[in-house]
Amino acid sequence: MRAMRHFSVKLNDGHSMPILGFGTSAPAKVPKSKVEEAIERAIDIGYRHIDSAYLYLNEEEIGRAIQKKISNGTVKRDDIFYTSKPGEELFPKNTDGKLLSDTVDLCTTWEALEKCKEAGLAKSIGVSNFNCKQLEMILNKPGLKYKPVCNQVECHLYLNQSKLLDFCKSKDIILTAYGVLGSDPEKEWVTKNYPVILEDPVLNVIAEKHQRTPAQVALRYQLQRGLVVLVKSFTEKRIRENFQVFDFQLTPEDMKTLDGLNRNLRYFKDTYFADHPDYPFYDEY
């Protein structure tokens, strides 16, 4: 992690996480070979944080790409911070097409993750899409061995998660942002016909002032707020541009203006899980 050490954050378990990560979720229309190629390009450009999940169905390709870069000497395994979210079955549905759901004991699940860490199967363990109430449930669990190092959530200019960010900072938990530039409306769980973040006129004025792309400013905004940021692209030009966010600074006035764009708007619709007994999930954020 030598190239990214300056751009990493110390986690509450002592490990370090690069503050800019490369996301790998892809629409079905994107061939898995393109994901593999994108990972190779990203590592060549300098990304050392790779984010994936069982749900994305491309971890084999990601593993191959990382192994290639280890084999040719581009990186060592210790240079790569790899994040995954384990799973077994993808969105099981009943005969009516409704999502089959169950109530999960989060504390028991967390104990299983603690065992994974103790067994050396994971260096650091965290959570995703947790609200403050769910985080407190883990933090207040009797016999807690390890706190979550991070909480990965949707976060962007139209959903800045300020309350959740403040809560996580107070507990020494890193807030990791996905969907920072919006999300692909072709995904089943993404709300259609929402405004496009990168077309926002206020964002574009600030980007023009700094002679940067709107994406670079949207990413820089989150980094200056203290978040770890995930960004994805399968185009080499954009992969490279998205990495060029460490050589400029937004002014306090810029930050205040961008703060004002918040609409509490979610691209990732939780109505997809409306039949879950704990729905809605986000009221406590």
Side-chain angles (χ1 to χ4, degrees):
M1 204 171 291
R2 296 173 298 277
M4 284 291 289
R5 189 174 298 280
H6 181 63
F7 304 121
S8 297
V9 63
K10 196 74 169 285
L11 303 176
N12 62 41
D13 66 355
H15 294 295
S16 294
M17 175 193 289
I19 60 176
L20 183 63
F22 190 76
T24 60
S25 171
K29 67 179 181 180
V30 177
K32 292 184 179 182
S33 59
K34 292 290 184 184
V35 176
E36 188 170 341
E37 292 171 8
I39 295 296
E40 292 183 48
R41 291 194 189 102
I43 292 174
D44 285 339
I45 288 167
Y47 292 85
R48 296 294 181 264
H49 178 173
I50 310 296
D51 181 85
S52 187
Y54 173 80
L55 172 65
Y56 303 164
L57 300 177
N58 57 19
E59 290 193 290
E60 183 177 342
E61 288 74 21
I62 294 169
R64 268 203 307 269
I66 293 173
Q67 188 57 51
K68 284 181 187 177
K69 292 303 167 184
I70 293 173
S71 296
N72 69 18
T74 302
V75 292
K76 297 179 180 179
R77 178 60 186 88
D78 286 346
D79 295 332
I80 300 296
F81 190 100
Y82 181 77
T83 302
S84 186
K85 303 98 180 170
E88 292 183 358
E89 189 173 358
L90 302 177
F91 300 136
K93 298 178 181 178
N94 63 19
T95 54
D96 296 325
K98 290 187 176 182
L99 195 72
L100 292 172
S101 59
D102 197 2
T103 301
V104 176
D105 185 334
L106 296 179
C107 290
T108 299
T109 302
W110 186 252
E111 288 172 3
L113 287 174
E114 289 180 322
K115 290 177 181 177
C116 288
K117 179 176 173 65
E118 289 178 337
L121 300 176
K123 286 188 175 180
S124 299
I125 51 177
V127 296
S128 182
N129 298 319
F130 269 41
N131 57 37
C132 296
K133 181 179 178 181
Q134 291 166 328
L135 284 170
E136 285 183 324
M137 189 185 307
I138 299 298
L139 295 173
N140 295 330
K141 185 186 81 67
L144 180 71
K145 295 180 179 179
Y146 307 105
K147 293 200 307 185
V149 299
C150 63
N151 182 22
Q152 187 181 126
V153 300
E154 178 183 359
C155 185
H156 43 74
L157 288 170
Y158 293 162
L159 179 69
N160 67 23
Q161 301 275 26
S162 58
K163 291 182 179 179
L164 183 61
L165 176 60
D166 289 343
F167 177 84
C168 285
K169 285 182 176 180
S170 74
K171 303 298 182 182
D172 196 19
I173 296 172
I174 296 298
L175 195 63
T176 302
Y178 67 76
V180 176
L181 306 181
S183 191
D184 190 336
E186 293 187 16
K187 291 178 180 176
E188 186 178 358
W189 54 85
V190 173
T191 305
K192 313 299 187 266
N193 303 318
Y194 267 16
V196 179
I197 288 176
L198 297 183
E199 295 177 359
D200 187 278
V202 174
L203 172 64
N204 276 265
V205 167
I206 293 175
E208 185 176 351
K209 181 179 77 171
H210 289 276
Q211 296 184 316
R212 297 286 173 162
T213 68
Q216 287 170 331
V217 171
L219 293 167
R220 183 70 203 180
Y221 167 73
Q222 301 292 5
L223 291 172
Q224 286 187 211
R225 298 175 72 217
L227 283 83
V228 167
V229 178
L230 304 177
V231 64
K232 68 177 181 181
S233 176
F234 300 102
T235 305
E236 183 171 1
K237 179 176 180 290
R238 292 196 184 116
I239 294 173
R240 189 175 299 278
E241 284 179 348
N242 292 340
F243 193 74
Q244 295 169 345
V245 292
F246 299 109
D247 58 350
F248 75 102
Q249 190 89 2
L250 297 175
T251 67
E253 292 77 15
D254 293 333
M255 295 295 290
K256 184 176 180 180
T257 298
L258 294 172
D259 283 340
L261 295 180
N262 183 53
R263 308 182 186 185
N264 292 321
L265 182 152
R266 296 181 184 277
Y267 288 95
F268 294 83
K269 57 180 182 180
D270 62 348
T271 52
Y272 187 72
F273 303 97
D275 293 319
H276 193 282
D278 291 333
Y279 177 84
F281 305 119
Y282 303 122
D283 288 348
E284 299 296 329
Y285 271 42

